[in-house]
Amino acid sequence: MDISIVGTGYVGLVTGVCLAEKGHRVTCVDIDQEKIDSINAGIPPIHEKGLTELLKKHIGKGFCATSDLRQAVLDSQVTMIAVGTPFDGKTIDLSYIRAAAKQVGNALADKTDYHVTIIKSTVVPGTTSKVVCPILEEASGKHLGKDFGVGMNPEFLSEGVAVSDFLSPDRIVLGGNDERSLAVLEKLYIPFDATIPRLRVNLSTAEMIKYAANSVLATTISYANEISDLCESLGGIDVTQVMQGVHLADYFNPSVNATDKTHGRITAPITSFLEAGCGFGGSCLPKDVKALIAHGQSQGVEMPLLQAVIEINENRPAAMIALLGRTFPTLTNVRVSVLGLAFKPDTDDIRLSPALALIDLLKGRGAVVTVHDPLVKVDADARFGPPVVFADSLEDAIENCQAAMIVTRWKDYTRLPGLLAEMTAPPLIVDGRRMLDCHRVPNYEGIGLSAAQDAS
Ligand code: UGA
C-alpha cells in the first residue's frame, strides 16, 4: 500500500521505516527540513537499535521523507498521524493533532478516491471521533464513512527495542469508524505474521487500550516501590528477595506443562516491572498516567489508584536522597556522582528521567554533582547549570566523588565492583536499581534494603 505518515518523531519514523520493511511504500512528512535532510541522507535523528540499517536499506526505494504533506496525502491511500501530544499538566495538548488533521483534510478535498486517516499518536478516549473526525470533515468538505474513513491504531513500542517491537508485535489493535476503514487497517497488517492477535474495536476503545496498557505497567512499578519502602523501614527484609518470592508464583512464572511444576518454567516479562527502584520516567508512562487521571477528572471520575501511582513515583528521588543521608546527613559540598541520565538503558532519551529530579534535589541540598551516562552526552553546565559537570567515563565519575548514585541500569555499571576494589577510598554506592551484588561493594546502600548489614 502507499502510506503517508505525518510526523517523523520516534513513533512516526520507526513506523515508517518498519512498514517499508514489510513491503509498503512510505512517505514520512515533517515540517523540520533539517530532519528531512538527515533522514533522506540515511541518518535517523534518534538512537534506536536497528533503525539506521533499515533506513539505509529502504531510503530512496520504498521509503522517503518530505515536507510536502499535501502531495504525500494525494499519493497515498492511507495517512497516519504520528505527531506529539505533550501533556501541559492539565490535559494533553492537541494542537499538533489538530494542525495535522486540518492539513490532511485540506488535501483530502482534492482526492477522489477513498482515503483512511489513522491516528497513531497517543490521545485520550474520544479524541479521534470528537476532535479529529470533525476537523477532517470540515477541512475536506467531505463525509466520514462515505468519502473517507478514520482509524485509531495505538503503538506499543518500547524505546530501545522499538524496531523489533514493531516488526514482531504482541498484538495489533485496530480501531475504526466502520467496517470499511477497519478493512483498510487490516490490509495494512497483512504482511505481518498471521498468528499475531488482531483486536478490532471502536475508535475510543483503541485509544483507551493504550492508556490502560501503560497504566498497568506504572502501577506495578509503584506497587513494588511501596512494598520496598516498607521493607526499608521494617529492617531485616530485602525487597529483591521479596519480589523474587512474588515472581515465583505460577501466575508470573508458569510451567510450560501445567502438570509439571518443576521443569520448563517461563518468566512473564511483567516481572521486570515488579522490581523496586528509583522510579519510572520517559516520554510515555508518567505523561500517559497523568493524562488519563486528568481526563477522568474532567469527566467527574476520580482515579485514586493512579493518583497514588504518580505520587509514589514522584517520591523516588527523595527516597534515594534518604539513603544517601544515612552516610551524609548534610550534603553541602559533598561530591556526588549520578550514574545514568537516560530514563532506561539502551536509549539516549532523558525525558522525565528520575535522574533529572535527583540532580535538582542534590543541587538544592548543596551537593557538588557530577553526571555520567555511557550514551547520553550533554553539556552538563548548560543543561543543569553549575556546579554540575559531566564525566566522560565511569572511572572519572567515581574517582573523586564521595558517593555515586545509580539511576539507570546500564550494563557498564556492572563493572563497578571491580573498579571499587582497586580504590583505596571507594565512594558510597547508592543503588537505585538494585543491580549490584551488595556483598561485592564495600560501602553500599540499596533501595528496599534497611541497612548494609541487613543484606545477608
Ligand atoms: C513504555 C511501555 O513499556 C511500552 O509498552 C509503550 O508502548 C511505551 O511506553 C509507549 O507508550 O510508547 P518505554 O517508555 O519505552 O515503554 O519504557 P519502559 O521500558 O516501559 O520503562 C519505563 C520506565 O519504567 C523506565 O524509566 C524504567 O526505568 C522504569 N521501570 C521499569 C522501573 O522503574 N521499574 C521497573 O521495574 C521497570
Side-chain angles (χ1 to χ4, degrees):
M1 293 175 90
D2 290 296
I3 301 160
S4 48
I5 300 182
V6 185
T8 61
Y10 154 75
V11 174
L13 186 59
V14 170
T15 301
V17 172
C18 289
L19 285 176
E21 172 71 5
K22 290 289 184 184
H24 294 297
R25 288 173 299 277
V26 182
T27 303
C28 269
V29 183
D30 208 289
I31 43 170
D32 184 339
Q33 190 58 45
E34 224 176 287
K35 254 188 184 181
I36 290 168
D37 293 343
S38 166
I39 293 168
N40 283 332
I43 305 162
I46 51 161
H47 173 89
E48 196 56 59
K49 197 170 156 209
L51 187 60
T52 308
E53 292 81 349
L54 280 192
L55 179 60
K56 284 191 194 310
K57 181 174 165 192
H58 295 291
I59 198 75
K61 293 174 205 135
F63 180 86
C64 70
T66 178
S67 58
D68 192 344
L69 186 144
R70 187 175 175 279
Q71 198 57 49
V73 173
L74 291 179
D75 293 343
S76 56
Q77 298 141 276
V78 168
T79 299
M80 292 180 146
I81 296 183
V83 294
T85 51
F87 183 66
D88 68 9
K90 279 198 188 130
T91 168
I92 53 166
D93 175 0
L94 292 178
S95 53
Y96 300 111
I97 293 273
R98 286 179 208 275
K102 189 159 183 238
Q103 289 181 65
V104 173
N106 288 339
L108 290 185
D110 298 332
K111 275 203 90 168
T112 45
D113 54 339
Y114 180 79
H115 191 97
V116 176
T117 303
I118 299 171
I119 300 300
K120 261 280 171 204
S121 310
T122 300
V123 289
V124 293
T127 305
T128 306
S129 58
K130 292 189 190 134
V131 178
V132 176
C133 292
I135 293 175
L136 287 172
E137 283 198 310
E138 199 192 324
S140 65
K142 296 190 168 181
H143 299 290
L144 174 65
K146 181 171 159 281
D147 307 312
F148 69 90
V150 168
M152 204 288 146
N153 175 217
E155 53 81 18
F156 301 102
L157 310 177
S158 186
E159 275 190 43
V161 287
V163 169
S164 64
D165 275 355
F166 194 97
L167 295 174
S168 310
D170 50 3
R171 69 209 123 151
I172 297 170
V173 174
L174 306 172
N177 69 297
D178 59 12
E179 283 301 317
R180 195 175 175 195
S181 62
L182 278 167
V184 174
L185 267 107
E186 277 188 341
K187 201 172 161 201
L188 195 71
Y189 284 99
I190 286 175
F192 289 70
D193 186 337
T195 61
I196 299 163
R198 274 114 166 123
L199 192 61
R200 288 164 62 106
V201 291
N202 66 28
L203 297 169
S204 297
T205 305
E207 293 165 331
M208 188 64 170
I209 287 171
K210 168 72 188 192
Y211 281 97
N214 274 357
S215 295
V216 79
L217 298 179
T219 302
T220 52
I221 295 169
S222 281
Y223 165 76
N225 285 331
E226 185 165 89
I227 295 291
S228 170
D229 285 347
L230 185 59
C231 292
E232 239 173 83
S233 302
L234 293 176
I237 305 174
D238 180 348
V239 73
T240 56
Q241 291 180 343
V242 173
M243 285 304 151
Q244 273 168 14
V246 173
H247 293 174
L248 283 170
D250 257 356
Y251 40 81
F252 288 126
N253 194 222
S255 310
V256 180
N257 175 350
T259 53
D260 175 3
K261 302 222 173 214
T262 50
H263 294 101
R265 293 181 74 161
I266 47 171
T267 303
I270 187 69
T271 54
S272 70
F273 290 88
L274 260 176
E275 282 168 1
C278 56
F280 59 82
S283 62
C284 304
L285 261 47
K287 176 191 118 177
D288 291 352
V289 176
K290 285 182 186 173
L292 192 59
I293 295 169
H295 190 57
Q297 287 173 337
S298 76
Q299 306 300 309
V301 180
E302 289 297 321
M303 306 195 79
L305 175 63
L306 293 183
Q307 287 184 42
V309 165
I310 291 295
E311 202 180 307
I312 291 166
N313 194 55
E314 291 184 345
N315 276 330
R316 299 322 287 160
M320 291 283 280
I321 297 283
L323 291 180
L324 186 60
R326 288 177 182 170
T327 306
F328 299 100
T330 60
L331 292 178
T332 313
N333 292 328
V334 175
R335 298 183 307 279
V336 181
S337 286
V338 172
L339 304 181
L341 283 174
F343 82 98
K344 66 174 190 179
D346 303 320
T347 172
D348 62 353
D349 192 345
I350 66 169
R351 283 176 290 176
L352 292 185
S353 166
L356 306 180
L358 181 64
I359 292 166
D360 278 348
L361 285 180
L362 288 168
K363 275 180 64 183
R365 305 279 179 96
V368 180
V369 183
T370 296
V371 294
H372 171 264
D373 192 283
L375 193 63
V376 182
K377 300 291 171 226
V378 288
D379 178 347
D381 207 44
R383 179 70 176 74
F384 305 110
V388 182
V389 294
F390 190 83
D392 286 325
S393 68
L394 180 58
E395 285 81 349
D396 286 352
I398 59 168
E399 197 170 71
N400 283 313
C401 72
Q402 294 160 276
M405 308 179 83
I406 302 175
V407 175
T408 315
R409 191 187 279 270
W410 281 109
K411 195 162 171 257
D412 192 30
Y413 299 155
T414 57
R415 295 192 297 123
L416 274 167
L419 295 176
L420 295 166
E422 287 166 15
M423 296 173 80
T424 42
L428 167 73
I429 299 294
V430 178
D431 190 348
R433 294 294 173 192
R434 294 303 306 276
M435 62 178 285
L436 301 180
D437 177 352
C438 56
H439 300 104
R440 293 188 58 218
V441 177
N443 307 312
Y444 183 90
E445 294 287 359
I447 284 281
L449 197 60
S450 54
Q453 65 269 26
D454 284 330
S456 54

